[in-house]
Amino acid sequence: MSAVVTTVMAEAQEPGSRNKSITPRQLSVTEDEEKQGVFKPMDLNRVMKLLEDKDKDDLEEKQLKSVKKLVQYYQNGLPLRDLAQIFKILNLCAGKIENQPQFIEPACDILKLCGLPFLKKKVSDEITYAEDTAISIALLGDLMKIPSSELRIQICKCIVDFYHAEPKKHIPGYQQASSSYKIKMAEVGGLAKTMVQSMTLLENQLVEKLWVLKVLQHLSTSEVNCTLMMKAQAASGICVHLNDPDPSGQLLFRSSEILWNLLEKSSKEEIIQQLSNLECLLTLKEVFKNLFTRGFSHYDRQLRNDILVITTIIAQNPGAPMIECGFTRDLILFATFNEVKSQNPLVKGLKLSNSCEDFELKKLLFNIIVILCKDLPTVQLLIDGKVVLALFTYIKKPEKHKIIEWSAAQHEELQLHAIATLSSVAPLLIEEYMSCQGNAQVLAFLEWCDSEDPFISQGNSFHGAGGRGNKFAQMRYSLRLLRAMVYLEDETVNTDLCEKGTIQQLIGIFKNIISKTNEKEEAIILEIQSDILLILSGLCEHHIQRKEIFGTEGVDIVLHVMKTDPKKIQSGLGYNVLLFSTLDSIWCCILGCYSSEDYFLEKEGIFLLLDVLALNQKKFCNLILGIMVEFCDNPKTSAHVNAWRGKKDQTAASLLIKLWRKEEKDLGVKRDKNGKIIDTKKPLFTSFQEEQKIMPLPANCPSVAVMDIAENIRAKIYAVLGKLDFENLPGLSAEDFVTLCIIHRYLDFKIQATHKQRDLANKSWENFLARTSNAKTLKKAKRLQEKAIESSKYKGQPQNTILHRTVIKGLNTTVPSGGVVTVESTPVRLLGGPLADTDLALKKLPIRGGALQRMKAIKIGNGQNKSIPS
């Protein structure tokens, strides 16, 4: 079978005759096609010309008839090659609607054809006519401006059919374009943008508005369309109408779906910015309140939760006026009314069920509190809403026979979520935390977590990970809460914790955890152990009495961690964090307490530190060497350091020198093959320092020199070896001795920089003296200064400008001078006035120094005279 439609200037050949050219856009049809009634010859240009005519009689009837014939001819679909002309015909019909309503029906009929799959004669037609197709589809959005409800609805139906096109019967010689072709062309033509803009024309026309929202709901499944909609300010435009009257409920459902898609498939930050205005948030607030207080169906509850998630995303923007619109206060009320009774009429008589939607709502409300509390002005609202008190209602061990509104699994998940929320909220509300006896409640809950009371944990939620069948999840989040409070360094909180026996309790929990360790819960146990050590470090730092309470039992748990298999440190299961926490606890809980230090040494703690140091892991070296420096103040340490032996009988001194060489290699310090100094002027200079440009730094920022000492380990190695006296160090090679000499002179090489600065200062002073004592030197310096000033001036001067000299001519100074010079005379009180007897003043100088003053002699008891200032 031959094709149905030909491209521009197609030719038809008759038997026994010459080729005859067909007029443009005329359809050539074979006899078989005519018999099947698929398409019949039709001149689209003639139809267009007829629609454009205005002066003929009975014109309207002919126009309508021609369009009707066109619709009939293309009843099985529109060929891609004719699409541009057919859409021009559609545009002409639509343009007549306002004055000739009879054209609504034919325009709608053409739109129905547009909803059918497009037809292609060749596989390449989709590419060949892509531009025409994109422009034609974009015209649908422009036609929304025509004030015809029926036409607008049909346009929307046509676009929706792009996504639900059903294949029609096979047409000989033609194939249907791919199902995604129209969708792709709609993206290229920018249809989504014009459809968003059409929303402004439908303020009070609910049915049409719902159809446009349905179209945008389909279009927003594409990232390209979402980007176009975002640029057209779709988010704010849709959001402000969320609360418009709509008995069907479609407006809210479709609008929320579009907002979701925009957040997921376009720039999230830009969409949040569009929604972060007072009008949008007020609308969201009213919608959420209505759904919360009046929505009882499954659908209403799901929609309510969707709105809350969108609100949560907006609340992440610090600039969103959540407090100003009153939304924050309402959300806090809704989050706590179940636990803290309120007389607010909004929640009077309300009660949450244990349905999945209400359970999800409760978790979402806890989550948004965490986000809202990042905005400090929210703190007062959290206090007013008694949030801390409400959250503490969950931090209790389960009571038998107590009726709760949630199932056991739900209550467990809410309990974990409440503790996690407290970790963010409680540090901001210390007074409320203490007034609720927060420390006592958390410690009591920890005691239950550590007990052998039977408890079957579900471990289903995110917060319950690793805690199935045990109480590890509850313990983990309770310890996180304690850690957050201890890290505030609030003495009231920390003292209260210590008085309640927290140090002993945590050490006991750590010991019990060791006995319960198994591979299944290894990750969560390591996290618990790390948090315990960090809490102990926070409590004991700078407090000798607390370090004494930490005592030998505390040292034992530290030593237990230090004995961990080195292979596990690299396993990635949290052993690295645990080791860091352990080293921190050595620094904060052991160092400075002589009894604990001695016990640590007796239990070969220094050996264990050196074992970890020998692993040569850079992340640990700095901290371990810092601990070693402090430990070396204890006279018993040197013997332990010298007694240690590593692999291949390596000594501690050899290990430290090896670390020094590795550090210098990493820093790019210049040394020869034997380890000797190459650049004697800069013996410690690193390649980084050579490349470093001079940059101005604020006063509170440490200098490069300070950072060099803080970040690299050379200063600490020098300090440790210095406390070992650099002498009688066993197990050193010839290369080690060369490096040891450099280490020994480390401090001298660092003063060397100080000498250089001092020399520069001395040279500057000598130059100043030369200028003030030698006229020739002064003149030379003046010439050099003037030359430097001239060379620094901008050479290109604009035309018609007046130049003003900035240097005072003939001024014999070499220091910068300003436009105004203020000369102050010596105060009269120092000179004694114009009649002062200066000869007398020269005889006796005042004891306190300063300028000459007039002296007055008085007689004292022993007959001697004493001069005093008048």
Side-chain angles (χ1 to χ4, degrees), residues 6-7 29 62 66 104 140 200 211 232 636:
T6 60
T7 55
V29 185
K62 290 179 180 179
S66 65
I104 291 177
L140 296 175
T200 57
W211 270 107
K636 299 177 183 178

Coordinates of all heavy atoms in Angstrom, one line a residue, residues 6-7 29 62 66 104 140 200 211 232 636:
T6 N 1.4 13.0 1.4 CA 2.7 13.3 0.9 C 3.2 14.6 1.5 O 2.5 15.4 2.0 CB 2.6 13.5 -0.7 OG1 1.8 14.5 -1.0 CG2 2.2 12.2 -1.3
T7 N 4.5 14.9 1.3 CA 5.1 16.1 1.8 C 4.9 17.2 0.8 O 4.3 17.0 -0.3 CB 6.6 15.9 2.1 OG1 7.2 15.4 0.9 CG2 6.8 15.0 3.2
V29 N -3.7 10.3 -3.1 CA -4.3 9.1 -2.5 C -4.4 8.0 -3.6 O -4.8 8.3 -4.7 CB -5.7 9.4 -2.0 CG1 -6.3 8.2 -1.3 CG2 -5.6 10.5 -1.0
K62 N -20.0 28.1 4.5 CA -19.0 27.4 3.8 C -17.8 27.1 4.6 O -17.2 26.0 4.5 CB -18.6 28.2 2.6 CG -19.6 28.4 1.5 CD -19.1 29.2 0.4 CE -20.1 29.4 -0.7 NZ -19.6 30.3 -1.9
S66 N -16.4 23.3 5.4 CA -15.0 22.9 5.0 C -14.3 22.3 6.2 O -13.6 21.3 6.1 CB -14.3 24.1 4.4 OG -14.1 25.1 5.4
I104 N -17.1 27.2 17.9 CA -16.6 26.4 19.1 C -16.6 25.0 18.8 O -15.6 24.3 19.0 CB -17.5 26.7 20.3 CG1 -17.3 28.2 20.7 CG2 -17.1 25.8 21.4 CD1 -18.2 28.6 21.9
L140 N -1.4 25.3 21.8 CA -2.5 24.9 22.6 C -2.6 25.8 23.9 O -3.7 26.2 24.4 CB -2.4 23.4 23.0 CG -2.5 22.4 21.9 CD1 -2.3 21.0 22.4 CD2 -3.9 22.5 21.3
T200 N -3.9 32.5 35.6 CA -4.3 33.8 36.0 C -5.6 34.2 35.4 O -6.3 35.1 35.9 CB -3.2 34.8 35.7 OG1 -3.0 34.8 34.3 CG2 -1.9 34.5 36.5
W211 N -9.4 21.5 35.5 CA -8.9 20.9 34.3 C -7.4 21.3 34.1 O -6.6 20.5 33.7 CB -9.8 21.2 33.1 CG -10.9 20.2 32.9 CD1 -12.2 20.4 33.1 CD2 -10.7 18.9 32.4 NE1 -12.9 19.2 32.9 CE2 -12.0 18.3 32.4 CE3 -9.6 18.1 32.0 CZ2 -12.2 17.0 32.0 CZ3 -9.9 16.8 31.6 CH2 -11.1 16.2 31.6
A232 N 8.0 30.0 35.6 CA 6.7 30.7 35.5 C 6.1 31.0 36.9 O 4.9 31.4 37.0 CB 5.7 29.9 34.6
K636 N 58.0 8.5 85.7 CA 58.0 7.1 85.5 C 57.8 6.7 84.0 O 58.0 5.5 83.6 CB 56.9 6.4 86.3 CG 57.0 6.7 87.8 CD 55.8 6.1 88.5 CE 55.8 6.3 90.0 NZ 54.7 5.8 90.7

